[in-house]
Amino acid sequence: MTQEQIDDMLNKQFLAYLNNNKPFVTEKVGNHVKEIANIITKGKSLNEIIEWLKELVASTPDPP
């Protein structure tokens, strides 16, 4: 594929794919996020999780 074809696919076709398959994509992404969250929070107290989330939010720049 050319760079132009890749750009077209990512900018046009991929968004259409995501929109057309929203229930499937939402389920897959949600499950992946849940797995990662379970790994990160395993063995931590609620207070430790809250502090970690506060640090994460404070260290994450606002999107452009």
Side-chain angles (χ1 to χ4, degrees), residues 5 7-18 20:
Q5 290 170 320
D7 290 344
D8 182 65
M9 180 184 73
L10 291 175
N11 292 323
K12 296 177 185 170
Q13 298 173 28
F14 188 60
L15 181 58
Y17 171 82
L18 293 176
N20 292 334

Side-chain angles (χ1 to χ4, degrees), residues 40-53:
I40 291 170
T41 60
K42 185 176 182 174
K44 292 185 172 58
S45 70
L46 180 57
N47 284 336
E48 289 172 323
I49 294 169
I50 290 170
E51 288 304 313
W52 178 80
L53 286 170

Side-chain angles (χ1 to χ4, degrees), residues 22-55:
K22 198 170 192 173
F24 173 78
V25 172
T26 301
E27 178 185 355
K28 294 298 180 188
V29 171
N31 287 339
H32 187 67
V33 169
K34 184 170 58 174
E35 288 176 22
I36 292 170
N38 285 336
I39 292 168
I40 291 170
T41 60
K42 185 176 182 174
K44 292 185 172 58
S45 70
L46 180 57
N47 284 336
E48 289 172 323
I49 294 169
I50 290 170
E51 288 304 313
W52 178 80
L53 286 170
K54 286 179 182 177
E55 290 177 23

